[in-house]
């Protein structure tokens, strides 16, 4: 899908998402449209990540630039762990990034907008999982059912 369509679709969908997403996606739309307007590599992927020990959920099997992440959490707080691998195991593989989230809230995290060059961290691929503490593989009480990744194929 062309980037113009993807970006406009995300903007229209924002009011139907959880707390914080409306403003986050509106701000995100402003700066990402400048960077990605003429490219067709922009992707919006929504997954239900593995909860605790197991094979991490695969988002991308090639190098990607991560622009933002939105976590719509369930009744449990925890951490979304991201791996620079095409296949990872939660609690075993080296973690590239961690995003904490509170129970029953939506958290929209812009990453590339702050000057962080995610293409360097996700040069292999992107996988994820949720845990109760960063250095463990313990599952959170109620698994997260929706995490949205805003990515682009790395240059």
């Amino acid at each position: 899908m062309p980037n113009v369509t993807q970006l406009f679709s995300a903007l229209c969908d924002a009011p139907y998402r959880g707390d914080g997403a409306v403003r986050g996606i509106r701000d995100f739309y402003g700066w990402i449209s400048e960077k990605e307007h003429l490219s067709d590599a922009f992707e919006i992927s929504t997954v239900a990540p593995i909860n605790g020990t197991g094979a991490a959920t695969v988002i991308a099997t090639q190098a990607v630039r991560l622009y933002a992440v939105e976590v719509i959490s369930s009744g449990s707080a925890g951490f979304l762990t991201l791996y620079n691998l095409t296949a990872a195991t939660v609690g075993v593989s080296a973690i590239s990034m961690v995003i904490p989230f509170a129970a029953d809230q939506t958290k929209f995290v812009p990453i590339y907008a702050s000057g962080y060059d995610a293409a360097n961290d996700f040069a292999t691929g992107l996988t994820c999982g949720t845990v109760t503490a960063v250095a463990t593989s313990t599952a959170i009480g109620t698994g997260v059912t929706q995490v949205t990744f805003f990515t682009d194929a790395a240059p």
Side-chain angles (χ1 to χ4, degrees):
M1 179 182 298
N3 285 356
V4 174
T5 307
Q6 286 259 29
L7 292 168
F8 185 70
S9 177
L11 185 63
C12 292
D13 186 49
Y16 303 101
R17 293 185 173 270
D19 300 337
V22 175
R23 183 174 182 191
I25 290 175
R26 188 174 55 235
D27 293 345
F28 172 74
Y29 178 81
W31 59 262
I32 195 69
S33 60
E34 295 172 9
K35 294 175 177 25
E36 296 296 328
H37 187 75
L38 299 176
S39 165
D40 284 338
F42 183 72
E43 291 289 331
I44 299 173
S45 308
T46 301
V47 299
I50 185 75
N51 184 17
T53 305
T57 305
V58 177
I59 310 307
T61 56
Q62 73 280 350
V64 292
R65 175 180 291 134
L66 181 60
Y67 283 113
V69 177
E70 178 191 33
V71 180
I72 299 177
S73 69
S74 54
S76 301
F79 297 88
L80 177 69
T81 54
L82 305 180
Y83 305 91
N84 179 23
L85 298 165
T86 56
T89 302
V90 176
V92 176
S93 301
I95 298 170
S96 293
M97 185 183 294
V98 175
I99 299 172
F101 58 87
D104 296 319
Q105 290 185 3
T106 296
K107 184 168 191 172
F108 187 86
V109 182
I111 295 168
Y112 193 72
S114 62
Y116 180 76
D117 187 3
N120 293 330
D121 280 359
F122 300 100
T124 303
L126 177 58
T127 54
C128 71
T130 57
V131 291
T132 56
V134 176
T136 69
S137 61
T138 306
I140 59 175
T142 305
V144 173
T145 58
Q146 185 173 333
V147 177
T148 303
F149 292 87
F150 299 83
T151 62
D152 182 10

